[in-house]
Amino acid sequence: MKTALLAAFLLTGATPAAAQGVFDMGQLTGTLSQDAVTQSEEARADKESAAESRRKTRANCAKVSQLRKRYGPSDARIRWLTDTCRKLGHPTG
């Protein structure tokens, strides 16, 4: 049985040289390169998203005085926004 399997293995051309064709190094290198590009794009998007979030937070903190007049200083949302802005060091208008 083992001899038959060995003979079939050898006859099908499954040799180390033939196995090299299974792993195309050019394609593998291209895939790894594309993975690096994708990761750098994701990192840049995360940084841009964080910057946009900080910009919106600063803008909302600048509106606290207007919102306080509209909803009153005892409104839970206004208190939360005021506390958050103070913790982050943003002026509360």
Side-chain angles (χ1 to χ4, degrees), residues 26-47:
Q27 182 180 5
L28 181 60
T29 303
T31 302
L32 292 174
S33 175
Q34 186 60 39
D35 288 347
V37 169
T38 302
Q39 289 173 353
S40 66
E41 288 173 349
E42 289 173 352
R44 187 175 342 120
D46 288 345
K47 287 179 186 176

Side-chain angles (χ1 to χ4, degrees), residues 42-54:
E42 289 173 352
R44 187 175 342 120
D46 288 345
K47 287 179 186 176
E48 290 172 359
S49 176
E52 180 69 14
S53 177
R54 286 190 299 273

Side-chain angles (χ1 to χ4, degrees), residues 22-78:
V22 174
F23 297 106
D24 180 11
M25 292 307 288
Q27 182 180 5
L28 181 60
T29 303
T31 302
L32 292 174
S33 175
Q34 186 60 39
D35 288 347
V37 169
T38 302
Q39 289 173 353
S40 66
E41 288 173 349
E42 289 173 352
R44 187 175 342 120
D46 288 345
K47 287 179 186 176
E48 290 172 359
S49 176
E52 180 69 14
S53 177
R54 286 190 299 273
R55 186 189 66 74
K56 287 180 179 178
T57 301
R58 278 193 303 274
N60 287 334
C61 288
K63 296 178 188 175
V64 168
S65 63
Q66 295 170 350
L67 295 171
R68 194 178 295 125
K69 288 176 189 174
R70 177 187 261 172
Y71 298 106
S74 61
D75 187 280
R77 296 171 295 180
I78 301 303

